[in-house]
Amino acid sequence: MTEKRGGHDAILIAAERMFADYGLHGVSLRQISEAAGQKNTSAIQYHFGSRDKLVEAVLAMRMSIINPRRQAALDRVRAAGQTGNVRALVEVMVWPMAEELRPRGEGNHYVQFLSRASRERKLAIELAPSDLMSAWRATVDYLREAIRYLPEKIAEARVELASEQTISALAAYEAQDFGATGQLELVVETLIDMIAAGVTAPVSAQTLAAYS
């Protein structure tokens, strides 16, 4: 059983890294098996069944940690009566994922994997187990409510951009290994400032003209 579980976990770690580097379809399942040290070339089919199921398992591996972390942060915002505070909500979006940049033995590849998955097929939403996205969805709903005063299409575009900026910026930081430096807090808090400022920025005359 220990050997079986070890192979399962080794495949997940190898898949996360290789999907991050080469994309979801830029690497074969055989290559992932070999990178995971699996002599049996059908190991992925045995443990996961398919490429999509492997991607889902990588998401679940990290989101099972991130979602409770994000839920705890959101609960603190609720308890403080700050669910209308845009910066506080952006913190809940950003920091639980930013914690994944702190160094770990197998390396840091998850946010880069997530960025690839989001660009290629919106898999962050499609394949992530629904219960592991609950805190993210609740936070985004609060953010929508906080900027309800904006025209609907503009508000929705800003929420989507905030989501994309969270993932793409943190993926870039991960690739630059910011988690291993003393700069992580600075760059993450700066990112939060910029996203919050963008979400609440005055709507320009040019945007209003395009909206109409």
Side-chain angles (χ1 to χ4, degrees), residues 16-150:
E16 179 184 58
R17 174 174 54 82
M18 298 184 81
F19 285 148
D21 287 345
Y22 304 110
L24 302 182
H25 298 282
V27 60
S28 70
L29 298 184
R30 178 187 292 271
Q31 288 172 309
I32 294 172
S33 290
E34 291 173 353
Q38 303 301 297
K39 295 179 181 179
N40 185 347
T41 57
S42 63
I44 290 177
Q45 284 84 355
Y46 172 71
H47 287 292
F48 303 99
S50 69
R51 182 181 296 267
D52 278 359
K53 288 296 184 182
L54 177 58
V55 171
E56 181 179 344
V58 174
L59 287 163
M61 173 178 65
R62 300 303 182 195
M63 287 306 298
S64 63
I65 298 170
I66 295 171
N67 192 60
R69 187 187 290 157
R70 180 172 283 125
Q71 187 62 60
L74 181 57
D75 288 345
R76 290 192 293 271
V77 169
R78 285 170 171 160
Q82 293 293 302
T83 55
N85 183 323
V86 168
R87 194 187 191 282
L89 295 171
V90 174
E91 284 185 31
V92 176
M93 294 173 69
V94 174
W95 261 118
M97 192 178 297
E99 294 290 346
E100 291 299 299
L101 275 61
R102 299 194 189 279
R104 53 179 170 242
E106 68 267 25
N108 300 79
H109 306 282
Y110 176 68
V111 189
Q112 295 168 82
F113 155 79
L114 188 62
S115 180
R116 283 271 197 173
S118 297
R119 289 200 310 271
E120 290 185 24
R121 282 181 51 195
K122 296 290 184 184
L123 281 175
I125 301 299
E126 289 178 9
L127 286 183
S130 180
D131 60 325
L132 297 183
M133 294 295 292
S134 59
W136 174 271
R137 289 193 175 97
T139 304
V140 168
D141 286 345
Y142 279 123
L143 186 59
R144 287 191 179 98
E145 187 64 29
I147 58 172
R148 186 176 290 276
Y149 60 88
L150 293 171

